[in-house]
Amino acid sequence: MNVTHLECAACGLRHEARRLHNLCAECGKPLLVRYDLKRAAASLMRESLPGRGPDLWRYREVLPVENDENIVTLGEGFTPLVHASRLGAQLRLSELYIKDEGQNPTQSFKARGMAAAVSMAKELGAQKLAVPSAGNAAGALAAYAARAGLEAHIFMPRDTPRANVIECEQTGAQVTLMDGLITDCGAEVARRKDAEGWFDVSTLKEPYRIEGKKTMGYELAEQFDWELPDVIIYPTGGGTGLIGMWKAFDEMEQMGWIGSKRPRMVTVQASGCAPIVRAFEEGKRFAEEFPNAQTTASGLRVPRAIGDFLILDALRASGGTAVAVTDEELIDATKEIGAAEGIFCAPEGAACLPALQKMQSAGAVKAGERVVLFNTGSGVKYVESFS
Ligand SMILES: Cc1ncc(COP(=O)(O)O)c(C=O)c1O
Ligand SMILES: [Zn+2]
């Protein structure tokens, strides 16, 4: 067990690790898990990874669970990194890759975060878990909570894709559909959680979902033989995956696994809900709530993100950018990627393609550069978007 403490990402205040926490007790911002990375590196060598299981628990020494018996798993992580050579040829990019997160349990990258969060909730004694969700996080929480024997209380907008609602019901969760957006669902969880005895597992409002999601960064490094790509394009709602990968890169450097080179991190959002793009363009560190948020890419319909400053810091520190694409562009892109590579992307993942094309038009990506598009989920859950 290499966790030393939790640290506030904004004010740095130290919090004790072996207790249930939500946000910083002092300033209300997200807490990050800190490890003794020297110790982790002494027991986990890069070279020993090929002998380990093909899931995210292969990075066990840099994950927060103390007792193996508390690990709640459905085989999440270690998803394929597909060389998109046909799509790449169309775009004149020889080194284009798709990280296919649709192959996770519950068909999205949300499985990674929930595997870690539910394992920790179990370890630290929470019984009833509650979450506001745009859809995929709900499906993942429902599944992992079922597997752990814990209660899942789920709050989603009424117009969340049907598949997400059905998967939650069929895995035994308590589902409430609300008029409004994920932010309204979050407010409802916050209002009721104390009286109901719920532990709030909203993204970045508990410290462990990001630990599960950071493993995407570890996997990219391992799958590229410890040389990070030049550009990572990531569909951003709450931004937990992007912040998590950024954290993973620093951890790996401290363990001596990689050097100081970092990919340019790129946020993609839908033009109907682009708070991070707007803040990036305006040079702000915090993003204002995006009014009248709308997009068929439900996971991108996040008008306000508590980790906004962490996303924006990573984009800027990496020399990356933030790009908005229209719903029409991201829906068209689903078929382009599907027809070229056989991957049926979630609309959020497909949004990476028009973002890349816009960057190419602006001269922001060169032909020989290695570019990774994150397909964060499977298109199968979004039949309404394609009819
Ligand atoms: C398929 C998909 N992609 C991307 C996102 C946004 O993820 P994040 O909150 O980590 O930015 C979501 C969130 O619901 C999602 O379901
Ligand atoms: Zn703080």
XYZ file of all heavy atoms in Angstrom, residues 8-13 15 24-29, ligand 2:
84
model
N -5.309 18.454 -1.474
C -6.216 19.315 -2.234
C -5.510 19.839 -3.475
O -4.394 20.352 -3.398
C -6.687 20.482 -1.370
S -7.663 21.666 -2.329
N -6.187 19.717 -4.614
C -5.594 20.140 -5.885
C -5.507 21.656 -5.997
O -4.778 22.172 -6.841
C -6.423 19.583 -7.046
N -6.233 22.368 -5.140
C -6.211 23.835 -5.216
C -5.342 24.445 -4.114
O -4.428 25.204 -4.403
C -7.632 24.389 -5.130
N -5.609 24.093 -2.829
C -4.889 24.769 -1.739
C -3.791 23.894 -1.132
O -3.027 24.365 -0.294
C -5.865 25.246 -0.671
S -6.467 23.947 0.421
N -3.712 22.635 -1.547
C -2.624 21.780 -1.073
C -2.850 21.153 0.295
O -2.021 20.375 0.770
N -3.974 21.463 0.940
C -4.214 20.928 2.294
C -4.183 19.400 2.277
O -4.746 18.760 1.403
C -5.568 21.425 2.834
C -5.870 21.040 4.272
C -4.958 21.781 5.249
C -7.337 21.327 4.616
N -5.040 15.689 3.619
C -6.149 14.972 4.263
C -5.703 13.532 4.487
O -4.975 12.970 3.664
C -7.397 14.978 3.373
C -8.026 16.329 3.172
N -7.384 17.367 2.522
C -9.239 16.810 3.527
C -8.171 18.424 2.500
N -9.318 18.118 3.098
N -12.202 19.047 -0.504
C -11.298 19.629 0.487
C -12.087 20.276 1.626
O -13.009 21.059 1.380
C -10.392 20.670 -0.177
S -9.376 21.595 0.995
N -11.691 19.963 2.850
C -12.390 20.482 4.025
C -12.234 21.997 4.133
O -13.056 22.672 4.746
C -11.829 19.814 5.279
N -11.189 22.538 3.525
C -10.913 23.964 3.656
C -11.533 24.780 2.512
O -12.213 25.755 2.724
C -9.384 24.144 3.652
C -8.896 25.522 4.010
C -9.235 25.903 5.449
O -9.217 25.006 6.311
O -9.551 27.083 5.682
N -11.304 24.337 1.259
C -11.694 25.200 0.131
C -12.714 24.564 -0.823
O -13.125 25.198 -1.788
C -10.454 25.643 -0.655
S -9.751 24.358 -1.698
N -13.105 23.318 -0.563
C -14.173 22.729 -1.376
C -13.764 22.310 -2.779
O -14.619 22.095 -3.635
N -12.471 22.171 -3.028
C -12.007 21.721 -4.360
C -11.629 20.230 -4.294
O -11.556 19.638 -3.215
C -10.808 22.573 -4.804
C -11.157 24.043 -5.046
C -12.059 24.221 -6.257
C -12.282 25.708 -6.578
N -13.370 25.900 -7.542
Zn -8.322 23.001 -0.584
